Amino acid sequence: MEKELQSIVARIEPADSHWEKLAWERLRSQIRPRGSLGRLEEMAARLGAIFRSVSPSVSRKIIFTMAGDHGVAEEGVSAYPQEVTAQMVFSFLKGWASINILADHVGAEVRVVDLGVASDLPEDWAVIRRKIGKGTRNITKGPAMERHEAVRGLVEGARLVMDAVQDEGFHLVGTGDMGIGNTTPSTAIVATLTGKPVKDLTGRGTGIDDAAWNRKVRAVERALAVNRPNAADPVDVLAKVGGYEIAGLAGAVLGAAAVRTPVVCDGFIATAGALIACQLAPFAKDYLFVSHRSQEVGHGAMIELLGLSPLLDLSMRLGEGTGAALAISLVEASARVLRDIKTFEEAGVTDTGR
């Protein structure tokens, strides 16, 4: 699968600056004061560059919620037991959870992917089955997974998105996660890539108390000391301190960029995946929108490293793809701004040049 991953990365080109210029020309000619729609205009111009069009459509939207378990959960780093991962997958499939309600609100389909849930999910569950292993190994004792497993997770995530776009006609992708304990490997990833102290990047996850927070900090510090992930090799970082669902999330960003499709990542865990993707393929960032600023303290370091501004700041820290769902509505609005607002010439309105 290394060759397939290399092929996907090789397909990723920069968004088209010529079409971005054309988008800005249209935006500045519309019947309103120039710049009056603020960041919606910036998003619209980015969509113009991505789609190579001044009339983009993002009406078909899909969110992939990637699920996986983590061996490091045995270190007592979460407020919830590991079996909650599978239980929440069931809730997603039944349409009961936060992601289902918010995705329905914005007209997005939700697909749940098992990349590494620890238990065997029943055959009658309508989950996308891409299981690489039954949870990662405990990163405080050794690597989370083998390198070939990390590569497989990247490729699986990319395939899912590329197929959805090319075969089913989706225009906009969101990414979300489910996995008890997954803020711990996400913290290890951002600590590796930024070099910042672990304690400055470690948050409360599902709402852990001080004792659990201290265990979490120590777990991440041990994971980095034991595994010594190579910050210059994102696949090594993913394999040593990542997660199966984080691999899928990273692959989803790569897949979207490879087929010139905007992708909206959720919060802390999904952004960890986006970081891995953008380290592998820097131009992938041209297709990426960070949905919101997570309450997880390490998220600020992630978005600083990416150099992207979150679209929302709502004090959220849930995951699942909930932030992506809300931000998708803004991306869709920005597409309509570019496409549907008339220009002064089209509307016959006097332009004062302001």
Side-chain angles (χ1 to χ4, degrees), residues 1 12 14 23 33 60 71 78 107 115 126-127 170 184 187 274 279 307 323 341 351:
M1 282 191 171
I12 299 172
R60 295 205 64 206
S78 176
L115 283 154
V127 64
F170 285 98
T184 300
T187 303
Q279 294 286 314
I341 297 176
D351 182 5

Side-chain angles (χ1 to χ4, degrees), residues 43-66:
M43 294 159 59
R46 290 189 63 196
L47 291 178
I50 290 169
F51 287 110
R52 296 175 175 166
S53 171
V54 293
S55 55
S57 172
V58 292
S59 59
R60 295 205 64 206
K61 299 149 287 190
I62 186 167
I63 297 170
F64 288 97
T65 300
M66 311 287 190

Side-chain angles (χ1 to χ4, degrees), residues 37 54 78 88 112 123 181 185 190 223 232 280 301 322:
L37 285 178
V54 293
S78 176
M88 285 305 300
V112 186
E123 288 297 319
V190 68
L280 277 167
T322 49

Side-chain angles (χ1 to χ4, degrees), residues 197-239:
V198 169
K199 64 180 178 60
D200 294 343
L201 300 168
T202 305
R204 298 281 173 168
T206 49
I208 55 176
D209 59 19
D210 289 346
W213 182 85
N214 284 316
R215 289 195 296 272
K216 186 175 179 179
V217 170
R218 291 195 299 270
V220 175
E221 290 174 341
R222 287 201 306 274
L224 299 181
V226 166
N227 292 295
R228 300 179 64 83
N230 179 4
D233 180 356
V235 178
D236 185 70
V237 177
L238 182 59

Side-chain angles (χ1 to χ4, degrees), residues 23-148:
W24 275 118
E25 288 176 0
R26 178 170 178 81
L27 290 162
R28 289 168 179 151
S29 301
Q30 290 174 338
I31 50 173
R32 55 187 173 79
R34 285 158 177 79
S36 56
L37 285 178
R39 290 187 62 199
L40 282 176
E41 296 183 36
E42 297 172 13
M43 294 159 59
R46 290 189 63 196
L47 291 178
I50 290 169
F51 287 110
R52 296 175 175 166
S53 171
V54 293
S55 55
S57 172
V58 292
S59 59
R60 295 205 64 206
K61 299 149 287 190
I62 186 167
I63 297 170
F64 288 97
T65 300
M66 311 287 190
D69 277 308
H70 298 267
V72 74
E74 67 190 27
E75 300 295 321
V77 296
S78 176
Y80 288 86
Q82 192 172 73
E83 60 263 27
V84 169
T85 300
Q87 293 167 355
M88 285 305 300
V89 166
F90 181 70
S91 295
F92 299 154
L93 297 172
K94 298 295 286 185
W96 296 338
S98 304
I99 181 54
N100 304 105
I101 305 311
L102 293 178
D104 180 68
H105 175 66
V106 300
E109 181 176 334
V110 176
R111 293 185 187 171
V112 186
V113 187
D114 175 11
L115 283 154
V117 178
S119 58
D120 290 318
L121 303 182
E123 288 297 319
D124 60 347
W125 286 18
V127 64
I128 299 173
R129 299 172 191 274
R130 299 290 188 274
K131 193 190 294 286
I132 300 167
K134 293 184 177 182
T136 56
R137 294 185 284 278
N138 186 338
I139 57 175
T140 68
K141 300 174 182 178
M145 66 191 87
E146 300 295 331
R147 185 181 180 91
H148 70 87

Side-chain angles (χ1 to χ4, degrees), residues 176-187:
D177 70 280
M178 182 61 226
I180 295 302
N182 62 9
T183 59
T184 300
S186 298
T187 303

